[in-house]
Amino acid sequence: QVQLVESGGGLVQPGGSLRLSCAASGNIFSIYDMGWYRQAPGKQRELVATITSGGSTTYVNSVKGRFTISRDNAKNTTYLQMNSLKPEDTAVYYCKAEKVRLSLTRIYDFWGQGTQVTVSS
């Protein structure tokens, strides 16, 4: 089975920074996309950023210029560097691994358990 373990969340003041990490473990041949999503109380889960195995990235407009997603393919790990944090960034952040190839015919998506990010003075 595949597990995604996130770390790095916490409480930070507005304008501060946090770095989230997500490590995928298990019998993994490859992972196509890795990404970060977030869900604030009372709101739907939204895409924050994604990165392909080749390094192509996408970001939601609200985080462009402030967040940077990166990836270490050898470690099946993705990172989200979050700078200039705002109170509206407060949410539970989830890691997702898409098109995880476990064998020639077994390809699945997996989610992490989530990590809380709170931006408050």
Side-chain angles (χ1 to χ4, degrees):
Q1 188 57 284
V2 172
Q3 283 191 321
L4 300 184
V5 179
E6 299 131 332
S7 60
L11 173 65
V12 64
Q13 291 187 341
S17 298
L18 283 175
R19 187 187 193 220
L20 305 182
S21 299
C22 171
S25 62
N27 292 323
I28 298 170
F29 282 99
S30 64
I31 303 174
Y32 182 65
D33 267 359
M34 297 191 81
W36 292 93
Y37 292 71
R38 66 186 179 186
Q39 187 166 16
K43 294 187 177 182
Q44 288 188 330
R45 190 173 297 188
E46 67 168 351
L47 171 69
V48 177
T50 64
I51 184 167
T52 68
S53 57
S56 297
T57 59
T58 60
Y59 297 92
V60 67
N61 284 339
S62 60
V63 308
K64 285 181 179 178
R66 300 188 298 122
F67 291 11
T68 302
I69 189 170
S70 60
R71 178 171 172 171
D72 185 333
N73 289 328
K75 296 181 179 179
N76 288 328
T77 299
T78 184
Y79 307 94
L80 186 67
Q81 178 67 43
M82 305 185 293
N83 298 328
S84 303
L85 282 160
K86 304 175 181 180
E88 51 264 42
D89 295 317
T90 296
V92 178
Y93 283 70
Y94 297 90
C95 174
K96 184 180 182 184
E98 296 186 3
K99 299 178 184 177
V100 179
R101 181 176 291 277
L102 305 182
S103 70
L104 285 177
T105 57
R106 297 169 64 209
I107 303 173
Y108 306 107
D109 295 345
F110 295 94
W111 288 92
Q113 80 286 355
T115 185
Q116 177 69 46
V117 171
T118 302
V119 184
S120 175
S121 55

